[in-house]
Amino acid sequence: MNKYDVLKKYYGYQDFREGQEVLIDSILRRQDVLGIMPTGAGKSICYQLPALLLPGVTLVISPLISLMKDQVQALNQAGIHAAYINSSLSEAQISKALRLAASGRYKIIYAAPERLETYEFLQFAQQARISMVTVDEAHCISQWGQDFRPSYLKIVQFIGKLRERPVISAFTATATEKVKEDIICVLGLQTPRVLVTGFDRKNLYFAVETPRHKEKYVMDYIQEHVTESGIIYCATRKNVDKLYDKLYQEGVAAAKYHAGLSGEERKRNQEDFIYDNRPVMIATNAFGMGIDKSNVRYVIHYNMPQSMENYYQEAGRAGRDGERSECILLYSPQDVMINRFLIENKEQNSGYTQEENAAVREKDEERLRAMTYYCMTTGCLREYILRYFDENGAEYCGNCSNCNSEFEEEDVTEAAEKIIACIREVRQRYGINVIAGMLAGEDRAKLREYGVMMYSSYGSLKGKSETEIKQIIRHLLTERLLITTEDKYALLQVTDLADEITDGTRRVILKQVKRTVEKKETYDNRQKGNSSKARKSDILNSRGLELFEQLRQLRTKIAGEEGLPPYLIFSDKTLVDMCIKVPVSKEEMLRVSGVGENKYKQYGERFMGVIMEYTGGIHEKFFFGEMIDFGEDTTVERMVNGKRKRASGVKRSEFLLTEEQAERFPYADRYLLTELAEKLNELRDAEHVKKISGAEIFRRLRDEECVSELFQDGMWKKVISEKGLENGFFMDLRISKKGTEYEDLYCDRKAQKKILNMVCRDL
């Protein structure tokens, strides 16, 4: 079985996503790898699939019990034997699992990093054949990462105790350049294949909102998305409890999660959310790492997180299935103060020196400033995120609140000069509230106490309100013309860049939101090249949405019967694909994305039953846009240009040509198999004969022992046998669309004649 067979049989996919094949091929040739891929990009397949092809056992080191449980359940559902070893199991269960693993029962074992130090686990590892050690959430190994875990430092020591050094693969969704270097160094990766597929999640819509009443905003949003599942993150337990009580009073089926709850309550609430019993989760950032729930349609941050790393990881829990989802941050200036308080009271690492702890604190403050500027920018939010992670993005993405807003520009250079002059006059001793009040000419006790009335800058912007002045100051902060001190007082300071304002070489333009346009795109807009993905409501028509709902209800029923989260049965994306392809046979169902052989055996007939009952055996068009090719004909009716057309009642036969058709074949000096297949299909009787593909021709040639495939240098290569060479097949260089040069299989006139004889031989 090769990698393509494994991909289809167990995962139900025809093709690899970007980056997956590169990492899989590297692992199969026993090369260490580091994959930095966004949440939802399919990192798990990158190590699970080669684990099935490598001899022995693959050990996956994962930080959270919930992550292990989700992954193992998903593997077992797909027909892959896997197990996890963690503190949720009894000692007897752990011993049994290790015995079964040693006997070859499991190909993949998940374990927490703390487990590596136990005697029993080490005994197992030293006796078993461990082909690969995979480090998931690899950023946890770096003290510069947002989730540093000292236990991850034990991984290298553990690997050193094994009989043979296995392949080491490491994966993470978020890593700055410094964290990436740490992962490679600390894990001791040897000449690793490093792949950064990019941090962009095109299906996610990003927004920053500043509502006056956050509770009302959240309540209104949930009511507009009542059928969808979402997570609402709060900075403190107090905010979690307060918001949960409010939603509970309004009858919202919500759960809550924070460290102040008992372990049993946290577990129960988490399972209620995963199983869609309570589709809304309100939580601190203690929740979510390792949650593999694929149908989270929105993530709302009630408060601004401490860092862009935290924000992007938490927001990335939306839309893991690739469907359109929303990430909304509700910002207020008080959020900055809350986070600065949390940083100040963060427990210091006892294993660090005073200088190292100071460096960590400084890095935390730097992250907080970057997060604050994200909330203030009027530029593209996606571009800001990508730039933070050292990646270039377009200045306009068309799929964030800033790109979907119309701005009015105001030249505030004169006001900026007065703000800079004021800060310098008071010797940079005050924060934004005092400076804004002073410039606006306010007369309140605190300002009188500081004696600001004595300065010439007092009242110099009396025509503007404090809110307007603060807005300009925040813009100057995002432009790095001003900075704030790193202590709790956040005093405003002037940078060298401010000289460009005072000497007249730079203008300050403030963009004000004029109008926010509708963020949901139409099908026509998507066809014009907009990169953002659409929700099912944008893809499926009203009939399609009805069918989707019936399939979703069946999924919920099966999940209840088997005690599994619904998304482990089939993802929303798979259900949408069923609505598009309308499968009514095993062959058609196996073409649906996400339906592998094991999933078909378990659920395929039941889902096809719902489809048949709903459609009455008619391949109706349940989506917007052009008609798709349903593949091989069946005896059911199908929609063509909006009208039903009855099929002939007879299935089309496998590809064959008559001798007369074969005589019209246009011979050439050379053809690729795909090019030759196109020429053959032009000759066939389209009404009664199916198409043939280049891949099918290759399979027939392989059966004839003219060609074969060989795994070499990390990839599958076509090989021509002596018989193939005699029949006119040859390899030659080809250049891909991306400019990559590689070898491919060609056929000369003699080989073309050979293939024609093959497709005509049954006549």
Side-chain angles (χ1 to χ4, degrees):
M1 188 180 291
N2 63 35
K3 60 187 178 183
Y4 301 108
D5 296 332
V6 172
L7 183 68
K8 180 55 191 169
K9 178 177 180 179
Y10 294 109
Y11 298 95
Y13 302 130
Q14 300 284 356
D15 301 303
F16 290 101
R17 296 186 194 178
E18 180 186 359
Q20 287 181 331
E21 195 167 11
V22 172
L23 294 174
I24 288 168
D25 287 346
S26 297
I27 290 170
L28 289 175
R29 66 169 178 260
R30 307 303 178 92
Q31 181 182 9
D32 291 350
V33 304
L34 169 58
I36 302 174
M37 307 164 75
T39 303
K43 291 187 292 294
S44 57
I45 285 180
C46 295
Y47 59 82
Q48 290 174 359
L49 191 150
L52 301 179
L53 294 172
L54 291 171
V57 179
T58 287
L59 173 63
V60 181
I61 299 169
S62 180
L64 289 181
I65 291 173
S66 57
L67 174 63
M68 300 182 207
K69 186 177 179 181
D70 276 1
Q71 294 278 358
V72 169
Q73 278 187 321
L75 286 168
N76 289 329
Q77 280 295 104
I80 299 169
H81 294 298
Y84 56 81
I85 309 293
N86 57 45
S87 58
S88 71
L89 303 179
S90 67
E91 290 302 318
Q93 289 174 317
I94 290 172
S95 297
K96 181 180 179 181
L98 292 177
R99 282 198 306 273
L100 291 172
S103 68
R105 167 73 172 172
Y106 302 123
K107 289 292 291 179
I108 304 175
I109 295 285
Y110 284 78
E114 294 80 7
R115 183 62 50 180
L116 307 181
E117 301 178 78
T118 63
Y119 175 78
E120 186 177 18
F121 192 87
L122 186 58
Q123 285 290 103
F124 153 75
Q126 289 176 333
Q127 294 170 12
R129 182 176 184 182
I130 296 181
S131 299
M132 176 167 62
V133 172
T134 294
V135 182
D136 203 9
E137 307 292 350
H139 61 272
C140 294
I141 206 165
S142 171
Q143 66 170 315
W144 302 110
Q146 73 275 19
D147 292 307
F148 172 62
R149 293 175 181 244
S151 58
Y152 263 58
L153 299 176
K154 305 288 186 182
I155 296 172
V156 177
Q157 297 174 26
F158 168 79
I159 292 172
K161 295 175 183 177
L162 301 178
R163 287 184 302 174
E164 295 180 8
R165 185 186 185 276
V167 178
I168 302 175
S169 57
F171 297 89
T172 182
T174 53
T176 58
E177 191 64 29
K178 175 64 176 173
V179 173
K180 183 176 76 173
E181 292 171 1
D182 260 10
I183 293 170
I184 295 171
C185 179
V186 178
L187 278 178
L189 301 185
Q190 297 178 3
T191 59
R193 178 66 169 92
V194 179
L195 181 72
V196 182
T197 60
F199 291 90
D200 193 6
R201 296 276 306 283
K202 291 183 172 62
N203 63 311
L204 299 185
Y205 172 86
F206 292 98
V208 174
E209 304 287 351
T210 55
R212 296 183 69 121
H213 304 289
K214 290 186 178 183
E215 282 186 6
K216 184 179 185 305
Y217 181 97
V218 169
M219 193 66 231
D220 290 345
Y221 187 93
I222 291 174
Q223 288 175 346
E224 291 173 6
H225 300 80
V226 68
T227 63
E228 297 177 340
S229 181
I231 303 172
I232 303 168
Y233 281 108
C234 300
T236 64
R237 301 178 193 178
K238 180 180 178 181
N239 280 350
V240 169
D241 291 335
K242 182 180 177 183
L243 185 58
Y244 171 79
D245 291 342
K246 175 67 175 176
L247 295 184
Y248 181 80
Q249 291 169 10
E250 297 293 335
V252 175
K256 65 178 178 177
Y257 190 106
H258 59 65
L261 304 176
S262 67
E264 182 60 34
E265 190 173 0
R266 288 200 303 272
K267 179 182 178 183
R268 183 173 63 252
N269 290 350
Q270 178 171 298
E271 289 185 349
D272 278 346
F273 175 68
I274 288 173
Y275 286 79
D276 282 339
N277 297 326
R278 290 193 274 174
V280 178
M281 173 61 78
I282 307 160
T284 61
N285 62 6
F287 174 80
M289 189 173 178
I291 297 300
D292 203 20
K293 184 175 167 70
S294 64
N295 65 333
V296 174
R297 293 276 75 90
Y298 61 87
V299 171
I300 297 175
H301 279 80
Y302 196 76
N303 305 105
M304 182 188 77
Q306 285 185 22
S307 69
M308 186 58 68
E309 290 90 341
N310 285 345
Y311 175 66
Y312 203 49
Q313 186 179 67
E314 290 159 13
R317 285 161 193 152
R320 293 175 67 98
D321 55 5
E323 294 294 284
R324 183 182 169 94
S325 305
E326 298 186 346
C327 308
I328 301 170
L329 196 162
L330 307 183
Y331 173 74
S332 68
Q334 187 182 7
D335 294 338
V336 181
M337 304 307 297
I338 292 172
N339 281 309
R340 185 163 282 119
F341 173 82
L342 293 172
I343 290 172
E344 289 172 357
N345 291 275
K346 182 179 177 181
E347 185 177 349
Q348 293 193 341
N349 192 313
S350 58
Y352 288 178
T353 64
Q354 186 174 351
E355 290 77 13
E356 286 173 329
N357 274 311
V360 171
R361 165 72 180 275
E362 184 178 343
K363 187 67 177 178
D364 287 342
E365 289 283 357
E366 183 182 322
R367 289 193 184 106
L368 178 58
R369 284 196 296 274
M371 191 70 241
T372 305
Y373 297 153
Y374 171 80
C375 297
M376 296 177 181
T377 183
T378 54
C380 174
L381 296 176
R382 189 180 308 276
E383 193 270 341
Y384 186 100
I385 293 170
L386 295 178
R387 185 157 38 88
Y388 180 85
F389 289 110
D390 304 314
E391 186 175 322
N392 292 326
E395 292 184 5
Y396 175 85
C397 74
N399 198 28
C400 75
S401 58
N402 284 356
C403 287
N404 285 349
S405 297
E406 292 182 3
F407 290 91
E408 289 181 326
E409 293 187 348
E410 179 186 359
D411 190 327
V412 293
T413 306
E414 185 179 344
E417 285 187 81
K418 292 180 178 180
I419 290 169
I420 292 166
C422 177
I423 295 170
R424 283 174 170 163
E425 186 181 16
V426 299
R427 301 179 185 178
Q428 307 182 131
R429 291 183 298 174
Y430 299 113
I432 188 171
N433 290 328
V434 172
I435 295 297
M438 178 181 170
L439 287 163
E442 294 293 324
D443 181 18
R444 53 177 181 264
K446 201 71 172 176
L447 297 177
R448 288 196 299 272
E449 180 184 338
Y450 290 147
V452 299
M453 288 76 173
M454 60 179 283
Y455 293 104
S456 61
S457 297
Y458 178 77
S460 59
L461 288 177
K462 202 163 188 176
K464 293 185 178 293
S465 68
E466 284 190 74
T467 300
E468 291 172 318
I469 296 169
K470 286 180 180 180
Q471 190 174 18
I472 298 171
I473 291 174
R474 292 190 186 106
H475 179 69
L476 296 177
L477 286 166
T478 63
E479 295 293 310
R480 306 297 288 167
L481 296 162
L482 301 178
I483 58 172
T484 57
T485 58
E486 296 174 5
D487 53 46
K488 65 181 180 180
Y489 302 106
L491 307 180
L492 290 171
Q493 296 183 334
V494 178
T495 71
D496 292 340
L497 292 175
D499 292 339
E500 297 174 7
I501 306 298
T502 54
D503 64 17
T505 60
R506 178 168 177 171
R507 311 298 294 172
V508 180
I509 307 299
L510 184 66
K511 292 166 69 176
Q512 305 267 26
V513 176
K514 177 182 178 183
R515 184 174 71 93
T516 300
V517 298
E518 179 65 30
K519 62 178 173 283
K520 282 190 177 180
E521 58 196 6
T522 64
Y523 179 83
D524 290 338
N525 287 337
R526 295 198 305 276
Q527 290 295 90
K528 291 174 184 176
N530 194 312
S531 62
S532 58
K533 297 185 180 180
R535 294 187 180 205
K536 59 181 177 291
S537 57
D538 298 325
I539 299 168
L540 302 179
N541 59 29
S542 58
R543 288 272 291 159
L545 290 171
E546 287 178 15
L547 176 57
F548 176 88
E549 184 58 29
Q550 290 197 17
L551 295 175
R552 193 177 73 86
Q553 288 174 7
L554 174 60
R555 181 181 65 179
T556 301
K557 181 181 179 182
I558 294 173
E561 293 169 356
E562 301 196 3
L564 291 170
Y567 62 84
L568 286 185
I569 308 299
F570 287 125
S571 69
D572 282 4
K573 186 174 184 178
T574 296
L575 298 188
V576 169
D577 206 31
M578 286 184 194
C579 295
I580 291 173
K581 293 176 179 171
V582 200
V584 293
S585 69
K586 177 180 179 179
E587 195 172 26
E588 290 178 345
M589 181 62 87
L590 286 174
R591 291 199 196 101
V592 172
S593 178
V595 181
E597 291 182 12
N598 201 62
K599 287 283 187 78
Y600 175 79
K601 288 176 186 176
Q602 295 178 83
Y603 314 119
E605 294 287 346
R606 294 180 71 175
F607 279 87
M608 283 195 302
V610 170
I611 291 169
M612 283 294 292
E613 183 178 348
Y614 184 78
T615 63
I618 296 173
H619 258 143
E620 193 175 335
K621 184 171 174 284
F622 292 129
F623 55 92
F624 296 114
E626 298 300 318
M627 185 66 185
I628 63 166
D629 181 5
F630 285 99
E632 300 165 5
D633 272 336
T634 64
T635 57
V636 299
E637 293 181 10
R638 54 188 60 245
M639 294 288 288
V640 180
N641 295 327
K643 297 180 180 179
R644 285 180 182 156
K645 181 180 178 181
R646 189 72 187 177
S648 62
V650 180
K651 288 188 177 182
R652 290 187 296 176
S653 64
E654 296 297 329
F655 184 89
L656 291 172
L657 292 181
T658 65
E659 291 182 6
E660 182 181 353
Q661 290 168 338
E663 288 175 359
R664 301 201 305 270
F665 180 79
Y667 287 94
D669 290 337
R670 59 162 58 192
Y671 277 127
L672 288 165
L673 293 187
T674 52
E675 295 170 339
L676 190 141
E678 290 176 6
K679 299 299 181 184
L680 292 174
N681 288 326
E682 291 172 3
L683 300 174
R684 84 192 201 287
D685 178 357
E687 188 175 347
H688 298 97
V689 178
K690 300 174 187 175
K691 287 183 178 181
I692 193 168
S693 66
E696 175 59 27
I697 294 173
F698 183 84
R699 283 192 288 271
R700 294 194 189 189
L701 291 172
R702 188 172 57 190
D703 293 341
E704 294 265 329
E705 298 183 350
C706 289
V707 296
S708 61
E709 280 186 298
L710 176 67
F711 187 77
Q712 189 178 64
D713 297 329
M715 63 184 68
W716 291 95
K717 295 184 177 179
K718 297 181 177 71
V719 179
I720 305 173
S721 67
E722 287 188 17
K723 181 179 178 181
L725 292 171
E726 291 172 1
N727 279 281
F729 294 96
F730 64 96
M731 303 296 294
D732 203 353
L733 291 178
R734 187 181 176 192
I735 299 176
S736 71
K737 292 179 180 179
K738 294 184 178 180
T740 304
E741 195 175 77
Y742 65 100
E743 279 197 321
D744 207 343
L745 179 66
Y746 288 86
C747 45
D748 65 12
R749 290 174 181 267
K750 184 177 180 180
Q752 294 161 33
K753 180 66 175 175
K754 165 73 176 174
I755 293 171
L756 277 168
N757 288 336
M758 286 168 51
V759 298
C760 291
R761 65 186 176 188
D762 293 329
L763 293 181

